[in-house]
C-alpha cells in the first residue's frame, strides 16, 4: 500500500463521499472521529467505541507527552496496543492544546515552551519534537505542528501567525518519516481573511501533504463566518486529498461542512455533552437533568441502536444523572457517539444516492419537532 490515500466514491453538489485507506484499515468518509484525549474516549471502552461504528479516533500529543510520556507509550507498544484500539488513530500536534490548556507559555519562532497543566513541569514543543512524539504514539495520521491563530485577530497578526505555521509545516514535512499507510496532514491557517487562506493553501500544496486540515476555525467566529471561510478555502484544495475540519462540531455544523466539501471531523461535543447530561437525538438536544424526564418510559431516541436507547428509559437515565451514578455519563456518551456515527452514515448514504439536500432537510426538520 502506498502512503495513506483517500479515494472518492461519489459527490452530490459540494458534498463528497469516499474511502480513506490507512495502515490500520479503511474508513468511509465523511467521518466523525471521537476524541480520545489521553488514550481513551472518556467513559467508553474500546469495544463500546467500536460498537458505535466509529472506525477512527483521535489521540493527542499534548496530553500524552505530559502523561504517561511519549517514550513510555512507545515502550508500551504504542497507542494502538496500549488502548486496544486497532483502527486508525489521528493525533493532533499539541500546539492548539498548549495555547488553550497550559498556564505559563512562551512562543518563539522555533517552538513553544510551556508548563504542564498537570504538575507545572516545564516542557518544549517544536515542529520536530511534535512529529517525533506522534511517531512514538504510532499515529496513522500525524498533524503538522501549528499555531491556531487566536480569534479575533487583525489581518497583520493573522498573516504573521499563518506564516509561522507555514514555516513549521515545511519543518514537519522534513521531519516526518514516510511509511506505507501513514500520512502527514498540513493545516491551513489564515483566520477569516480569504487572501491569507489562499496564501496558506498555496504554501501547503507546494510542500505537498497526504491530507489537508482547515485550522483556525471553531474558535468563536460563528457558523456563518466559518461557512464563508470554507467556501473560500475548500475549492482551492486538491480534490484527491482528504479535507479535515478541526474541532467541528454540532450536528448542524457537520451537515453544513459536509455540504461544503469536508471529509473528516473531530469534536469533544458528543463526549463532553455525555458527561454534562446532554443527549443529542433526532428530535434535538435533551437535558437529562430536567425533572420532566423523571417518569418518562420512552427511550432517548426511538431510532437509535445503542444500549441506552435499546435497554433503558429516559427515566432511568435521569435517575442515574441525579444520583451522580457513573453509568449515567457512560450511557449518554455511548448514545451521543452512536448518534454522531448514525448521522454521518445517513449523510454518506444520501450523497451516494444523490439526495444529500433532501436528507439534510429531513434531519434538520426532525430537530424542530420539539422532543416529546
Ligand atoms: C474546538 N475548535 C477547534 N479545535 C481545534 C483544534 C483541535 C482539534 N481537536 C483536537 C483534539 C482536542 C481534544 C483532545 C484531543 C485532540 C485545532 N488543532 C490544531 N492543531 N490547529 C488548529 O488550528 C485547530 C483549530 C481548532 N478549533
Ligand atoms: Zn442511543
Amino acid at each position: 500500500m502506498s502512503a495513506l490515500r483517500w479515494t472518492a466514491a461519489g459527490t452530490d453538489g459540494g458534498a463528497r463521499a469516499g474511502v480513506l485507506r490507512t495502515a490500520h484499515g479503511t474508513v468511509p468518509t465523511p467521518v466523525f472521529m471521537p476524541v480520545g484525549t489521553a488514550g481513551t474516549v472518556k467513559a467508553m471502552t474500546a469495544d463500546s467505541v467500536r460498537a458505535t461504528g466509529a472506525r477512527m479516533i483521535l489521540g493527542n500529543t499534548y496530553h500524552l507527552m505530559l502523561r504517561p510520556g511519549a517514550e513510555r507509550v512507545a515502550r508500551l507498544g504504542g497507542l494502538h496496543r496500549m488502548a486496544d484500539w486497532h483502527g486508525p488513530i489521528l493525533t493532533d500536534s499539541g500546539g492548539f492544546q498548549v495555547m488553550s490548556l497550559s498556564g505559563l507559555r512562551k512562543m518563539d519562532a522555533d517552538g513553544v515552551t510551556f508548563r504542564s497543566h498537570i504538575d507545572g513541569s516545564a516542557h518544549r514543543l517544536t515542529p520536530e519534537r511534535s512529529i517525533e512524539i506522534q511517531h512514538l504514539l504510532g499515529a496513522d495520521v500525524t498533524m503538522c505542528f501549528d499555531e491556531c491563530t487566536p480569534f479575533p485577530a487583525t489581518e497583520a497578526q493573522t498573516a504573521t501567525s499563518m506564516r509561522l505555521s507555514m514555516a513549521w509545516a515545511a519543518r514537519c514535512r522534513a521531519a516526518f518519516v514516510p511509511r506505507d499507510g501513514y500520512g502527514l496532514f498540513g493545516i491551513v491557517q489564515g483566520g477569516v481573511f480569504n487572501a491569507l487562506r489562499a496564501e496558506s493553501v498555496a504554501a501547503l500544496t507546494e510542500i505537498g501533504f497526504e491530507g489537508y486540515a482547515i485550522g483556525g476555525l471553531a474558535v468563536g467566529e460563528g457558523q456563518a463566518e466559518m461557512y464563508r471561510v470554507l467556501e473560500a478555502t475548500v475549492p482551492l484544495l486538491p480534490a484527491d486529498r482528504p479535507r479535515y475540519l478541526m474541532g467541528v462540531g454540532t450536528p448542524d455544523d457537520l451537515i453544513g461542512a459536509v455540504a461544503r466539501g469536508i471529509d473528516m471531523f473531530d469534536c469533544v461535543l458528543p463526549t463532553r455533552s455525555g458527561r454534562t447530561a446532554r443527549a443529542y437525538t433526532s428530535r434535538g438536544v435533551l437535558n437529562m437533568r430536567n425533572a420532566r424526564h423523571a417518569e418518562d418510559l420512552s427511550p432517548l431516541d426511538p431510532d437509535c441502536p445503542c444500549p441506552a436507547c435499546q435497554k433503558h428509559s429516559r427515566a432511568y437515565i435521569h435517575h442515574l444523572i441525579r444520583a451522580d451514578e457513573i453509568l449515567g455519563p457512560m450511557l449518554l456518551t455511548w448514545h451521543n457517539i452512536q448518534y454522531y456515527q448514525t448521522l454521518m452514515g445517513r449523510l454518506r448514504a444520501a450523497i451516494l444516492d444523490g439526495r444529500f439536500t433532501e436528507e439534510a432537510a429531513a434531519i434538520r426538520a426532525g430537530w424542530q419537532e420539539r422532543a416529546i
Side-chain angles (χ1 to χ4, degrees), residues 278-295:
R278 291 166 63 78
Y280 286 92
T281 80
S282 48
R283 304 235 182 113
V285 182
L286 296 177
N287 173 358
M288 293 314 293
R289 291 197 70 84
N290 192 308
R292 67 189 180 93
H293 303 301
E295 300 197 9

Side-chain angles (χ1 to χ4, degrees), residues 33 109 172 240 274 291 315 320 352:
M33 303 175 284
C172 288
D240 65 343
L320 293 175
L352 294 174

